[in-house]
Amino acid sequence: MRGAGRETGGRRVRCPLASPLAAAAMALLHTRRLLAAPRLAAAAAAAARASSWWSHVEMGPPDPILGVTEAFKRDTNSKKMNLGVGAYRDDNGKPYVLNCVRKAEAMMASKKMDKEYLPIGGLADFTRASAELALGENSEAFKSGRYVTVQGISGTGSLRIGANFLQRFFKASCDVYLPKPSWGNHTPIFRDAGLQLQAYRYYDPKTCSLDFSGAMDDISKIPEKSIILLHACAHNPTGVDPRQEQWKELAAVVKKRNLLVYFDMAYQGFASGDINRDAWAVRYFIEQGINIILAQSYAKNMGLYGERAGAFTVICSDAEEAKRVESQLKILIRPMYSNPPLNGARIASIILNTPDLRKEWLVEVKGMADRIISMRTQLVSNLKKEGSSHNWQHITDQIGMFCFTGLKPEQVERLIKEFSIYMTKDGRISVAGVTSGNVGYLAHAIHQVTK
C-alpha cells in the first residue's frame, strides 16, 4: 500500500508520511468520540428514564416558605430578617421552649415512663383535656359526653382525619367552602381527601381588613348542607378575625343555611393571650345548637412544633352517636398511621392536667401573645417616626402570628434585594420574627419601599 512502507532485506521500512497521517487519523477519531460522548450519555439517560417506572413523574414546585428560608440562609447581610417562618421567636430572635414544657419533660423523665404504643384514638388524658380546653369545662356538650375527641398529628394531621371522615360519611355534599384567602395547606388537605374546594369572600385587600358584607353575602348563598371552614381565631394568613357581634351574625346565617361548620383552631391562647376569648366563637356556635367539628394544634400555644400534638373533635347529637362516630374514626386512623406519637401528647396532657403547670402555661402563652402584640404596636410607631403618611392601623387591628401588611409584590422584592428582609410575595409577615432590636430597621425599610 502506498505510503505504508516496503520490505527491504527482511526489514520493514516506513514511509516518512505514515506517522503524521496515522497521528492525524487517531486525533480525528478521538475528537469524534469526545463529541459523541455527551450525545451517547444523553441517549443512555433517556433510555434509562424510559425504562423506569417513574419516568412520567415531573419535578414539583418548591414550597414558597421553604424558598424564602433558603434565600435567607444564603444572604450574608448581618441585618437580614426572615419573616416567612410560622414559628415563635423570643425577643432575641431565638426559638423558645416554655418553662412548663421543660418541667413536664423532667416529670416524665423522673417517672421513667415506657414507650409503648398509644391506643388508636390517642392518649385518653390528652384527648379529654383537649376537649375541655376547646369547649370549656362548663360546656353542656362536654359534660353530657356528646362529643368524641381523637388525638391527631398536630393541626395538619387532625384536619386530615376530619377531611377523610367527611369524605366517607358526610353524604349531603362534597363541597368545602374556604375563606379567601386561607392557610395554604387547607386546599391540598381537603382536595387530597377527595373533597371539592369552593370559596367565600373574607379579606378585603383595599382596607386590609375583613370583608364582612362580602362574607355574609357569599355564605348566605352557599347551598344548604355544604361544609364551611372557619378559622376560630388568628386567621392565617391575614390575622383578620370577626368581632364577637360579627361572629353572632355568621352563626345565624350558618344555622339558617344548615351548613356543617369545620373550625380550625391552631392558636388558642396564642392570639389574644386568653384561652377563653380565643375559643369564644367555637363555644358560641355550639351554644346556638350548631354541632361543629374541630381541629386543634399545640404547635404554637405550647411551642410543641416538632412534637406534632393535636386533636380532632366531633360534636354529636348524643353520647351514643359519639360512640359510633368514634368507632369509625378509629377505623379511618388505623391504616393511616396506626396510632399517634406519644411524647407531645404526654407533655401537653401533664401541663393541662397539673394545676401548677397549667397556671404557668397560661402566663407563658400570654407572654408570647403580648410580645407579638407589642411588636405590632412598635412597628406602627416606628413607621410614623420614619415619616410614613400611610395608614398602618390594620397592623395593630390584626391579631396572631401573621400580618398581611398590604405590601405589593414589587415592594416585597425591593425589601428582599435592598434590605435583606425576607417574606412571601403576598406581603404576609410573621410578626414573631420581629424583635425590639430589628423593628426599627424593618420600619425604615418598609417606609423606603412605600413612600
Side-chain angles (χ1 to χ4, degrees):
M1 183 183 294
R2 178 181 293 179
R6 63 181 186 278
E7 297 291 340
T8 306
R11 291 187 298 109
R12 184 171 179 80
V13 180
R14 185 168 297 277
C15 173
L17 297 176
S19 295
L21 286 172
M26 290 298 292
L28 180 61
L29 180 61
H30 182 63
T31 301
R32 286 176 175 170
R33 285 175 177 168
L34 289 174
L35 292 172
R39 292 196 298 272
L40 290 170
R49 285 197 299 271
S51 65
S52 169
W53 295 113
W54 316 117
S55 58
H56 62 286
V57 177
E58 298 179 357
M59 179 65 70
D63 183 277
I65 303 297
L66 183 62
V68 170
T69 301
E70 291 301 315
F72 170 79
K73 287 179 179 177
R74 291 192 298 268
D75 198 316
T76 57
N77 187 342
S78 62
K79 293 184 177 181
K80 66 181 181 179
M81 296 176 65
N82 185 359
L83 303 181
V85 179
Y88 182 78
R89 297 290 182 263
D90 65 18
D91 202 44
N92 294 313
K94 303 297 182 183
Y96 177 60
V97 179
L98 279 65
N99 289 327
C100 61
V101 169
R102 294 291 194 206
K103 290 178 180 178
E105 289 176 322
M107 290 172 65
M108 289 161 56
S110 68
K111 293 179 181 179
K112 298 183 178 179
M113 303 172 85
D114 62 45
K115 298 293 183 182
E116 293 294 298
Y117 289 126
L118 281 177
I120 297 171
L123 186 66
D125 288 345
F126 168 77
T127 56
R128 188 182 188 282
S130 294
E132 183 181 349
L133 180 68
L135 309 181
E137 61 181 350
N138 295 318
S139 162
E140 175 274 326
F142 177 74
K143 290 193 292 185
S144 68
R146 64 178 185 94
Y147 75 94
V148 54
T149 300
V150 293
Q151 184 180 335
I153 303 175
S154 201
T156 301
S158 301
L159 283 162
R160 185 58 188 267
I161 292 170
N164 281 31
F165 180 73
L166 292 172
Q167 192 277 330
R168 183 171 294 186
F169 292 103
F170 191 69
K171 302 301 183 182
S173 174
C174 62
D175 288 332
V176 180
Y177 285 78
L178 302 179
K180 290 191 296 188
S182 195
W183 180 44
N185 219 14
H186 280 147
T187 293
I189 285 170
F190 291 105
R191 181 194 62 211
D192 291 356
L195 299 170
Q196 301 296 317
L197 275 301
Q198 308 294 341
Y200 61 91
R201 281 174 286 175
Y202 187 85
Y203 176 75
D204 184 353
K206 294 180 181 178
T207 62
C208 297
S209 62
L210 178 65
D211 181 4
F212 183 65
S213 61
M216 288 290 289
D217 184 53
D218 283 358
I219 294 170
S220 69
K221 296 173 183 175
I222 294 177
E224 291 188 9
K225 298 182 179 179
S226 297
I227 305 157
I228 183 171
L229 183 130
L230 298 170
H231 297 235
C233 59
H235 180 277
N236 179 2
T238 69
V240 173
D241 285 355
R243 299 187 304 274
Q244 288 187 3
E245 300 77 20
Q246 292 172 326
W247 274 123
K248 290 179 180 179
E249 292 186 55
L250 287 168
V253 70
V254 161
K255 190 173 183 178
K256 183 178 180 181
R257 300 302 298 165
N258 195 19
L259 305 179
L260 175 62
V261 176
Y262 197 157
F263 270 111
D264 183 2
M265 185 159 64
Y267 299 92
Q268 186 181 2
F270 191 91
S272 67
D274 183 335
I275 59 170
N276 296 315
R277 177 180 172 183
D278 291 346
W280 189 90
V282 169
R283 297 172 184 179
Y284 180 79
F285 273 58
I286 296 171
E287 288 170 4
Q288 299 308 302
I290 302 170
N291 288 344
I292 67 156
I293 59 178
L294 166 73
Q296 290 169 268
S297 167
Y298 291 92
K300 307 298 192 299
N301 60 9
M302 285 191 182
L304 299 178
Y305 301 97
E307 298 288 358
R308 313 311 290 148
F312 173 69
T313 296
V314 181
I315 305 299
C316 301
S317 60
D318 54 46
E320 188 273 333
E321 182 178 270
K323 291 293 183 186
R324 288 187 278 111
V325 170
E326 182 181 25
S327 72
Q328 293 295 340
L329 287 171
K330 290 178 180 178
I331 290 170
L332 274 172
I333 290 168
R334 178 70 169 115
M336 289 173 69
Y337 53 83
S338 285
N339 34 59
L342 177 61
N343 202 61
R346 277 180 173 166
I347 293 170
S349 178
I350 289 171
I351 291 170
L352 293 173
N353 291 305
T354 306
D356 288 347
L357 287 186
R358 184 185 178 101
K359 184 178 180 181
E360 185 171 0
W361 170 60
L362 293 175
V363 172
E364 289 189 277
V365 73
K366 187 177 188 305
M368 291 190 290
D370 286 350
R371 195 189 83 75
I372 288 178
I373 292 169
S374 172
M375 287 303 104
R376 290 177 179 274
T377 302
Q378 289 186 43
L379 178 57
V380 172
S381 176
N382 276 274
L383 281 163
K384 290 178 180 177
K385 288 179 182 178
E386 288 286 332
S388 177
S389 59
H390 295 286
N391 181 3
W392 297 103
Q393 184 179 336
H394 59 276
I395 292 177
T396 49
D397 285 346
Q398 294 170 16
I399 194 169
M401 180 173 286
F402 299 108
C403 170
F404 250 31
T405 59
L407 293 169
K408 299 178 177 64
E410 59 270 21
Q411 294 169 331
V412 171
E413 192 67 25
R414 283 191 62 194
L415 285 174
I416 294 171
K417 288 184 176 180
E418 298 176 25
F419 299 95
S420 298
I421 296 173
Y422 292 84
M423 64 188 72
T424 49
K425 292 180 180 179
D426 56 9
R428 186 200 80 164
I429 66 170
S430 173
V431 187
V434 184
T435 70
S436 56
N438 62 27
V439 65
Y441 177 69
L442 175 61
H444 171 74
I446 290 175
H447 176 57
Q448 291 303 308
V449 303
T450 57
K451 65 180 182 181

